[in-house]
Amino acid sequence: MSKQKVVISGAGLWNPEHTISNEELVDSYNQFAELYNQQHAAEIEAGELEAKPFSSAEFIEKASGIKSRYSYSKEGVLDPTRMRPQLTERSDEELSHQAEMALAAAEKALTEANKSPEEIDAVIVSCAYTQRSYPAIAIEVQAALNIKGFAFDMLVACSAATFALHRAYEMVAAGTAKAVLVINPELTSPQVNYKDRDSHFIFGDVATATIIEQAETCQSEHSYEILGIKAQTQYSNNIRSNFGYLSHVTDVDPYSADKLFHQNGRKVFKEVCPMAAEHLTNHVTETGLSNEQITRWWLHQANINMNVLIGKKLMGRMPTQQEAPIVLDEYANTASAGSLIAFNLHHKDLQAGDYGVICSFGAGYSIGSLVIQKR
Ligand code: CO8
């Protein structure tokens, strides 16, 4: 089997219509905290319960770089008596919420790649959570787009997007698929604990999609040859959610705080930054390049200070916005989609021959990267 040249030929980005600023989020959280502290004044006074501390928009921006986030549903999140999004349950006959997000991003990627659904022969939906286990969201999207071939879902938390692009690359390189549609419908807000000051600000909702295909069929204005892929994982409990189907039989509260996103952010920061910088340098070197030859780093978007630190380790100096674009001020952390949002918004100015790197890092821990070259 001869190895095919593989390219990224199209990228799509879809945002929900609603945004939530730090100020709006902090205002509702602080109302909730005040209400909680009033309602539990006696227990707090007796030392049986801890008072809820107040959140601050200044802290959030300084600690994370996040100013705002997109939200699939806004009202419920900002209701201090609810503190979670409000969605309507759809019938089995309707398009599911996550498939709708996925479809919107997929259509944009197909347009950018100048491809029709008939030319796609595999669909991967890959993200931090799928709203159900089966039938796969990917198969629902495949049906909605009338794509032949096969489709499947995969979950790899922060690295869901890059690891899915790796699988697509391998299929196209091996010739088992000619063109693959990879979609990341990151509906994170239902898993956020909006009652937790330490993490209520971190996530936003978004969907990204990417077309991977053989170089010889590519008809896109902007395409990138994939020169190499690299992944690594290392088990860590520092970012965790225990939500899952076992709650039905373990007789515990399926929605308690440990069933939602929680983390030890400081430890993650300290442990993941050096891992990511070393991984990236090794990957670039293994591809026969040096970090100085990379025109653009599309890095995971969890925290601006992490990206600055990793950028400094890679370049020996502070990276510019052009070299390592930051999008989390507008989008917040979008689980696996962050590096691809950065790619979507900041790739068309690259010149033929320029090198770039897409990289995710986070929960698992997991790190995934692709070294690419503009054609
Ligand atoms: N307002 C005011 N003060 C606050 C707030 C707040 N909102 N939150 C915390 N504080 C306080 C703390 O309690 C602490 O007070 P004290 O010093 O009295 O104990 C003080 O501020 C400092 O707190 P931290 O040390 O926690 O602050 P940091 O500077 O470390 O910033 C961050 C916290 C921003 C969380 C930072 O540690 C960080 O970003 N770390 C990296 C985390 C990371 O990358 N995580 C990966 C995320 S996971 C992922 O990307 C995908 C997972 C799957 C998707 C999940 C979807 C739901």
Side-chain angles (χ1 to χ4, degrees):
M1 202 161 20
S2 70
K3 194 169 172 245
Q4 305 283 335
K5 234 186 208 186
V6 184
V7 299
I8 293 176
S9 59
L13 167 64
W14 175 85
N15 310 326
E17 62 179 293
H18 310 293
T19 59
I20 301 180
S21 68
N22 286 349
E23 288 72 18
E24 287 176 290
L25 198 67
V26 164
D27 192 47
S28 66
Y29 170 86
N30 285 348
Q31 285 181 48
F32 153 76
E34 207 161 297
L35 216 61
Y36 177 94
N37 293 344
Q38 277 167 14
Q39 282 165 356
H40 299 89
E43 296 105 303
I44 293 168
E45 179 75 15
E48 291 158 15
L49 268 184
E50 273 192 37
K52 292 274 177 203
F54 291 99
S55 186
S56 130
E58 297 75 48
F59 169 87
I60 295 170
E61 190 175 337
K62 191 156 171 275
S64 69
I66 297 166
K67 296 180 185 166
S68 184
R69 70 280 298 137
Y70 288 91
S71 193
Y72 190 68
S73 146
K74 178 164 179 172
E75 301 313 323
V77 173
L78 296 181
D79 175 354
T81 62
R82 181 176 171 86
M83 302 300 279
R84 59 186 199 280
Q86 172 95 59
L87 297 185
T88 317
E89 172 109 317
R90 292 185 177 171
S91 77
D92 290 358
E93 281 63 49
E94 290 173 283
L95 193 68
S96 65
H97 289 290
Q98 224 173 356
E100 185 178 303
M101 295 172 67
L103 209 48
E107 280 163 354
K108 291 183 179 191
L110 285 164
T111 304
E112 286 288 316
N114 205 6
K115 279 224 120 33
S116 63
E118 304 86 72
E119 295 171 284
I120 302 291
D121 35 29
V123 180
I124 308 175
V125 162
S126 192
C127 43
Y129 308 95
T130 48
Q131 70 172 76
R132 60 168 188 266
S133 297
Y134 49 84
I137 305 292
I139 303 178
E140 190 180 359
V141 174
Q142 177 195 10
L145 285 170
N146 214 3
I147 289 173
K148 302 218 167 34
F150 63 94
F152 61 91
D153 292 348
M154 56 186 271
L155 307 179
V156 201
C158 303
S159 291
T162 53
F163 278 37
L165 292 174
H166 290 181
R167 303 293 77 78
Y169 166 82
E170 285 166 348
M171 287 188 226
V172 176
T176 55
K178 283 197 171 74
V180 182
L181 167 61
V182 175
I183 321 172
N184 323 105
E186 291 291 9
L187 185 51
T188 63
S189 55
Q191 259 279 306
V192 174
N193 184 353
Y194 289 101
K195 296 178 179 175
D196 173 34
R197 172 178 86 146
D198 289 5
S199 62
H200 75 123
F201 58 87
I202 295 180
F203 292 99
D205 299 327
V206 78
T208 50
T210 314
I211 309 289
I212 306 279
E213 64 175 304
Q214 292 178 352
E216 62 190 39
T217 60
C218 175
Q219 291 182 342
S220 163
E221 195 188 336
H222 298 278
S223 64
Y224 300 83
E225 183 179 351
I226 301 176
L227 303 179
I229 60 170
K230 187 176 176 72
Q232 66 168 307
T233 50
Q234 182 183 304
Y235 187 62
S236 167
N237 274 323
N238 285 328
I239 311 166
R240 191 165 174 123
S241 160
N242 291 320
F243 184 77
Y245 77 111
L246 286 191
S247 298
H248 185 52
V249 296
T250 49
D251 299 336
V252 295
D253 173 4
Y255 311 114
S256 60
D258 81 298
K259 304 294 183 296
L260 300 173
F261 168 88
H262 55 286
Q263 69 167 352
N264 186 336
R266 276 269 131 188
K267 275 200 175 154
V268 174
F269 195 109
K270 272 178 83 174
E271 291 173 7
V272 169
C273 287
M275 266 176 78
E278 191 188 350
H279 171 101
L280 282 164
T281 298
N282 288 343
H283 189 188
V284 168
T285 310
E286 285 158 21
T287 314
L289 299 169
S290 67
N291 289 346
E292 293 71 44
Q293 287 175 274
I294 305 300
T295 301
R296 190 139 310 153
W297 303 89
W298 297 283
L299 298 179
H300 186 64
Q301 305 279 321
N303 180 304
I304 193 172
N305 303 316
M306 274 177 117
N307 289 26
V308 166
L309 189 62
I310 292 167
K312 277 186 183 164
K313 283 179 193 283
L314 294 170
M315 303 170 75
R317 60 176 170 80
M318 179 92 171
T320 63
Q321 167 69 7
Q322 212 189 10
E323 288 164 332
I326 297 290
V327 300
L328 54 70
D329 50 346
E330 178 182 346
Y331 286 86
N333 184 337
T334 49
S336 78
S339 56
L340 290 174
I341 300 173
F343 178 78
N344 266 275
L345 298 176
H346 301 280
H347 75 86
K348 289 189 174 165
D349 60 314
L350 290 195
Q351 305 297 309
D354 283 350
Y355 297 105
V357 177
I358 298 171
C359 183
S360 65
F361 38 84
Y365 297 137
S366 60
I367 304 182
S369 54
L370 296 95
V371 178
I372 61 179
Q373 183 175 29
K374 179 107 188 214
R375 301 167 77 229

